[in-house]
Amino acid sequence: MHVRVSAKGSLLFLVPRRLVRRHVVRFSSSARPLTRPFIHLWSQRGNLTMEQSDTNTGKRKHDEPDPPETAGRGKRRRGAGGKKLRPGERYIPPPQKRNPGVSFSQDHFNETSYYVEGGLRKVFPYYFDFKTYCKGRWVGKSLQEVFKSEFRSESIEYYERAAKEGRIRLNETPVEDLSVVLRNNDHMRNTVHRHEPPVIGTPLKILVDDGEVLVVDKPASIPVHPCGRFRHNTVIFILGKEHGISELHTVHRLDRLTSGVLLFARTLETSKKLDQMVRERQLEKEYVCRVEGEFPEGKLICEEPILVVSFKIGLCRVDPKGKECRTVFQRLSFNGKTSVVRCLPLTGRTHQIRVHLQYLGFPILNDPIYGSHAWGPHRGKGGLIGKSDEELLQALVEEHRSQEDLHLLAFMDDCIGVTKEAAKVEETDSEADKSGKSFPAQAQDCSEKENSNKASPEEPQSLESTVASSAQKTSPGTQDHLCSECKLVRPDPTKKELIMYLHALRYKGPDFEYSAESPDWAKEDWVETDFT
């Protein structure tokens, strides 16, 4: 490399042209051409900075005015977002980077309120915005086509009326005509009148809150975190609304219908520590359940691999191609008809206890999915189904369709949330809940990591994937003229229908142990007719 000193005392480093090309975009037309390009090196406020030099003006590149537009290849197109739009072309703003640390706040908790009726916790309906970015397969299709093919819970007439009333927006602009063709990065928003299913009105019982962990005894029927049709009727929102507790990190989950011990970490440090224990299988988990028939005495170990039949709805079955799995069972009592069984899941596959009990021929007494006759005459015992996965899914839907959609809705709500953690770590006891109507909610509300009540959503991809956190609180009894739910009269579910006889009894680590009381249905002399 050659060095020379200019008349002003600046050091001029002569470097080969091939190296400068990587850094030099253009030179000022007024600069005196040299045999070799050079880079001007100087110190400013103690910091060495490399800039292009102009020997006549001494201006830095970013101080120079932009050259006038020309008609060549390097033409700078202007318009919305710095891009010149063609006639009739819509401007599509770039996707906004989402903050993975966004947590539910008091604004979210204030969207609506609870009331208790007939022993059930209910939520006043409220207006809510579902929003998402355009999915890849929708590019080039009209909104009308997308609604017809993928969101059939409402008629196309509903969506047309909603659009005319400004409830459907594309890139924050109201859409009056659903014939608009979707493009990549289009951002859609749909305002709906949201109704949530009732849950058991039993209060959440806080077992431990020592500043590092929060342990609660979760009643059955309540999802852990917002997903699908559930938002305020969830553990996360109940804790925030009634106990003023937020910023929680979820350590594990329980099925919506399952009750018992549920752990949250209060700090990120504790969350990472517990998460590592889960990964290394240092947590000992104990469940109790009531199953059909006389379960064998002594310990029984099931090591059948479990395969996810459908990630969309979280249905699993025993299959040689599944993931390794191990559960230890021990009968505690038998009342002549049903048995109480102690369950120790040594792995954490989705629905592990329920699937293994079904395989052994002793399904949980009131399991609406794995105790269903849709599995065939043997109800899945020994892995004998005799149906394809598609036929099985259809049979489950058809079996529950005649029951006022109560168990069908439960079926759709008991499914896996498609999240980073669900794909990366399956060492959880259960699954995130999801289902939906109109623009279904999934990712932001379902995906708090198991790492936090701070939702850690994926990048926006689909209408199932992102949920706005804005809502308009409505007065009790408010009716919406477009809302189909407002026109329906659903009978309240009974307490029996909202409970599955599976209870997380104890969680034990190297230096801690948390346990909950055993439920009434686990008593030795309990009979089903006594449960109302």
Side-chain angles (χ1 to χ4, degrees):
M1 178 181 293
H2 298 282
V3 180
R4 73 182 184 187
V5 180
S6 68
K8 296 183 179 180
S10 299
L11 292 179
L12 306 179
F13 288 78
L14 300 183
V15 296
R17 184 184 302 272
R18 59 186 175 81
L19 295 179
V20 177
R21 284 176 179 168
R22 299 179 184 177
H23 307 286
V24 178
V25 178
R26 59 183 171 80
F27 288 91
S28 172
S29 59
S30 62
R32 178 172 57 87
L34 300 174
T35 304
R36 297 178 183 175
F38 62 91
I39 296 176
H40 192 181
L41 180 67
W42 72 90
S43 175
Q44 179 181 8
R45 296 182 181 178
N47 296 321
L48 288 176
T49 308
M50 295 185 68
E51 293 283 352
Q52 294 182 30
S53 173
D54 187 313
T55 55
N56 288 343
T57 65
K59 293 181 179 179
R60 302 182 190 181
K61 177 182 175 182
H62 60 262
D63 292 333
E64 297 175 4
D66 290 323
E69 293 188 15
T70 60
R73 288 180 59 190
K75 174 181 177 181
R76 183 187 294 271
R77 294 186 297 178
R78 298 191 180 279
K83 179 179 179 180
K84 186 176 181 179
L85 301 177
R86 299 187 182 92
E89 184 179 7
R90 289 190 294 108
Y91 167 60
I92 303 176
Q96 297 295 315
K97 185 176 181 180
R98 301 179 60 206
N99 181 1
V102 174
S103 175
F104 298 115
S105 66
Q106 194 60 45
D107 288 340
H108 301 110
F109 302 146
N110 290 338
E111 291 167 354
T112 184
S113 56
Y114 301 121
Y115 65 101
V116 177
E117 184 178 68
L120 300 176
R121 179 192 296 271
K122 299 184 178 181
V123 175
F124 289 114
Y126 55 100
Y127 287 101
F128 187 82
D129 287 341
F130 287 100
K131 60 182 180 180
T132 185
Y133 283 92
C134 178
K135 215 169 190 176
R137 67 174 179 269
W138 301 339
V139 175
K141 294 184 179 180
S142 67
L143 274 174
Q144 186 178 60
E145 290 176 296
V146 171
F147 286 134
K148 279 184 177 180
S149 62
E150 304 208 24
F151 301 99
R152 292 170 291 184
S153 60
E154 297 285 0
S155 67
I156 193 62
E157 288 76 23
Y158 164 83
Y159 293 114
E160 289 173 346
R161 293 196 301 270
K164 289 180 180 179
E165 296 197 12
R167 299 191 186 186
I168 299 177
R169 283 153 284 176
L170 195 61
N171 304 319
E172 300 306 323
T173 301
V175 174
E176 296 184 0
D177 187 355
L178 297 184
S179 64
V180 60
V181 175
L182 297 175
R183 297 181 57 190
N184 191 33
N185 289 333
D186 266 332
H187 184 264
M188 291 162 279
R189 183 192 296 257
N190 181 30
T191 301
V192 301
H193 193 232
R194 189 168 183 175
H195 294 244
E196 295 193 25
V199 298
I200 288 178
T202 304
L204 280 177
K205 184 178 180 180
I206 296 179
L207 302 176
V208 176
D209 187 5
D210 59 9
E212 292 188 356
V213 296
L214 174 74
V215 186
V216 303
D217 187 355
K218 182 185 92 67
S221 80
I222 306 178
V224 174
H225 48 66
C227 199
R229 297 176 304 129
F230 295 92
R231 180 172 172 83
H232 290 265
N233 262 345
T234 61
V235 174
I236 290 295
F237 267 64
I238 293 172
L239 287 173
K241 291 164 72 74
E242 296 189 345
H243 299 274
I245 299 175
S246 60
E247 303 291 335
L248 296 173
H249 303 260
T250 311
V251 178
H252 69 107
R253 290 169 294 182
L254 295 175
D255 289 347
R256 181 176 60 85
L257 297 179
T258 303
S259 57
V261 176
L262 181 64
L263 275 67
F264 295 98
R266 278 288 209 166
T267 65
L268 182 59
E269 181 181 356
T270 303
S271 174
K272 291 179 178 179
K273 178 182 176 181
L274 292 173
D275 186 58
Q276 188 65 27
M277 291 182 187
V278 172
R279 291 173 183 273
E280 296 177 355
R281 299 182 183 176
Q282 295 181 6
L283 285 182
E284 180 181 330
K285 300 165 285 186
E286 179 181 349
Y287 288 72
V288 63
C289 66
R290 183 171 285 276
V291 303
E292 297 182 14
E294 185 177 0
F295 199 84
E297 291 184 328
K299 287 188 178 180
L300 192 158
I301 300 175
C302 185
E303 296 181 311
E304 296 297 328
I306 290 180
L307 179 71
V308 178
V309 173
S310 171
F311 284 100
K312 183 177 181 181
I313 62 174
L315 185 68
C316 303
R317 61 176 169 81
V318 166
D319 190 280
K321 295 179 292 185
K323 293 185 177 181
E324 58 92 16
C325 202
R326 180 181 173 89
T327 313
V328 178
F329 299 102
Q330 181 179 16
R331 192 180 90 183
L332 299 180
S333 66
F334 175 60
N335 67 0
K337 293 183 178 180
T338 59
S339 303
V340 176
V341 179
R342 179 175 180 253
C343 315
L344 299 177
L346 304 184
T347 51
R349 306 306 177 197
T350 300
H351 292 172
Q352 175 175 325
I353 293 173
R354 298 165 67 181
V355 173
H356 273 176
L357 286 171
Q358 179 200 48
Y359 178 85
L360 295 173
F362 301 94
I364 293 177
L365 183 58
N366 58 346
D367 191 327
I369 303 304
Y370 297 100
S372 168
H373 289 279
W375 293 84
H378 303 286
R379 291 193 292 172
K381 180 179 180 180
L384 300 177
I385 302 175
K387 299 177 182 178
S388 67
D389 292 345
E390 292 74 17
E391 291 171 337
L392 173 61
L393 290 170
Q394 184 62 31
L396 284 167
V397 171
E398 291 301 326
E399 178 173 310
H400 297 307
R401 193 179 297 279
S402 61
Q403 302 179 31
E404 292 294 331
D405 279 351
L406 178 62
H407 293 301
L408 173 62
L409 293 175
F411 172 54
M412 298 302 294
D413 289 332
D414 284 337
C415 53
I416 273 189
V418 182
T419 71
K420 294 179 181 178
E421 286 303 309
K424 184 171 62 176
V425 185
E426 201 176 6
E427 296 301 323
T428 55
D429 306 313
S430 155
E431 76 292 323
D433 303 311
K434 115 177 160 55
S435 76
K437 110 186 238 302
S438 299
F439 285 16
Q442 180 178 324
Q444 179 171 341
D445 278 351
C446 290
S447 69
E448 24 140 343
K449 167 184 174 204
E450 272 87 312
N451 201 3
S452 68
N453 157 41
K454 296 181 174 183
S456 300
E458 298 277 8
E459 284 300 311
Q461 293 295 329
S462 69
L463 287 177
E464 293 97 352
S465 69
T466 1
V467 187
S469 58
S470 59
Q472 305 170 35
K473 189 172 181 179
T474 57
S475 301
T478 298
Q479 296 283 310
D480 183 88
H481 65 284
L482 291 185
C483 178
S484 58
E485 284 289 324
C486 284
K487 301 179 179 68
L488 297 177
V489 179
R490 296 186 186 274
D492 284 340
T494 64
K495 186 177 180 181
K496 181 177 178 179
E497 291 172 317
L498 293 176
I499 289 180
M500 182 170 62
Y501 302 142
L502 178 62
H503 181 77
L505 192 62
R506 182 173 62 96
Y507 267 68
K508 182 179 180 181
D511 56 356
F512 64 83
E513 180 175 346
Y514 307 117
S515 59
E517 293 183 6
S518 186
D520 289 341
W521 51 258
K523 294 178 180 179
E524 185 174 352
D525 58 350
W526 179 92
V527 291
E528 188 174 12
T529 54
D530 293 338
F531 188 73
T532 57

